[in-house]
Amino acid sequence: MQRNTTALVTGATAGIGAEFARQLAARGHDLVLVARDAARLDALAADLAARYRVRCEVLAADLSVRGDVDRVAERLDSTTEPIHILINNAGFGFTTTLTDADTGELERAVDVMALAPMILGGAAARAMVPRGSGQIVTVASLSAWVTQGAYSAVKSFAKVWSEGLAGELAGTGVTATALCPGWVTTEFHDRAGLTGQATSIPRWAWVSPQRCVREALRDADKGRILSLPTLPWKLAAFALQHAPRSIVHALSRRLTAAKAT
């Protein structure tokens, strides 16, 4: 009997990551679930294994710690239990500004949302290319098209790195897709202390995690380099890409001001 393909999902216990885990399990993929909270990982693994009859392995890791990142990279490098799909999803919102004297939170954001995806994506690619197939999905953000301080800077790296990886992997059978959502209806903003900003965003601008993940997996299946869920966000990215930078800067200042309220 042929074994199922296996997907590794970072940040799997909440928000977009948990939805990726659910939808991949529903497709019949075995899972390796990565997050910091071992208890939540065990509960999610038990639920998905019972509901979808897939194998669920848990790997507790803090991706701001290089040793933990290296352990996940070693799992991606396995030849006996190969990973066929990597979802680089782990991340968090934060309120640090670029002028704060304490850079600890920003350094952690760079570690989790830029350095870790780079290391894990490279490990996955090296393992997948000899097999001639595989998918690497990295969660970036629509904020990569604006200049909204530290968060835009980190997510811009994730987006451009993923695009660069896609170029290097062209013709290998392995694809890299950057998922760039706008506002997603998860606990992300509450956990980051950004409730004020969230309440100022009109209802039409939000997308559910279910639709976000469904469209991301569809785009990855098609080998698309960028995935922008929903037509409004596709149009927003197009407009931001082609607008004069003075307009982008002005919009970014307004978004930053809303974040601070």
Side-chain angles (χ1 to χ4, degrees):
M1 178 178 176
Q2 186 178 6
R3 294 184 63 180
N4 292 340
T5 52
T6 301
L8 187 149
V9 183
T10 69
T13 55
I16 295 174
E19 187 59 32
F20 265 115
R22 280 189 287 269
Q23 292 196 29
L24 287 164
R27 286 179 164 210
H29 297 290
D30 291 333
L31 297 170
V32 178
L33 305 173
V34 179
R36 290 184 299 165
D37 192 325
R40 291 183 73 180
L41 277 174
D42 288 338
L44 177 63
D47 175 63
L48 295 176
R51 188 182 304 182
Y52 299 107
R53 305 298 178 191
V54 295
R55 242 181 8 112
C56 291
E57 175 186 342
V58 300
L59 184 52
D62 181 344
L63 298 186
S64 68
V65 177
R66 181 56 186 264
D68 283 10
V69 175
D70 289 342
R71 286 195 298 110
V72 181
E74 288 175 8
R75 179 63 186 86
L76 287 161
D77 196 43
S78 173
T79 56
T80 56
E81 297 181 290
I83 301 298
H84 306 85
I85 301 170
L86 168 62
I87 307 295
N88 264 326
N89 164 78
F92 59 94
F94 55 95
T95 57
T96 299
T97 70
L98 294 171
T99 56
D100 284 349
D102 182 355
T103 60
E105 189 177 41
L106 177 55
E107 290 176 45
R108 181 168 171 260
V110 171
D111 286 340
V112 173
M113 292 183 279
L115 183 61
M118 182 186 74
I119 293 169
L120 299 183
R126 289 190 296 274
M128 292 173 179
V129 166
R131 299 197 300 266
S133 65
Q135 296 176 350
I136 300 168
V137 177
T138 299
V139 178
S141 172
L142 190 69
S143 68
W145 274 268
V146 296
T147 57
Q148 195 180 348
Y151 190 76
S152 285
V154 173
K155 288 300 188 179
S156 292
F157 177 90
K159 170 184 171 287
V160 176
W161 169 81
S162 182
E163 290 179 292
L165 181 64
E168 289 191 9
L169 294 174
T172 66
V174 182
T175 61
T177 300
L179 168 60
C180 302
W183 287 279
V184 184
T185 52
T186 68
E187 69 273 31
F188 177 89
H189 288 85
D190 291 338
R191 292 173 67 181
L194 301 173
T195 305
Q197 181 192 22
T199 56
S200 69
I201 305 303
R203 173 168 232 135
W204 63 263
W206 293 83
V207 61
S208 71
Q210 292 81 10
R211 181 170 181 182
C212 183
V213 170
R214 184 170 63 248
E215 294 196 17
L217 292 176
R218 180 198 65 195
D219 288 339
D221 288 342
K222 294 179 179 179
R224 289 178 175 164
I225 294 174
L226 292 175
S227 177
L228 287 144
T230 78
L231 180 60
W233 291 126
K234 288 180 174 65
L235 294 174
F238 180 86
L240 290 167
Q241 184 73 33
H242 295 89
R245 293 306 288 173
S246 60
I247 293 177
V248 174
H249 295 156
L251 174 61
S252 299
R253 287 194 294 271
R254 291 187 60 181
L255 290 170
T256 300
K259 178 179 176 180
T261 61

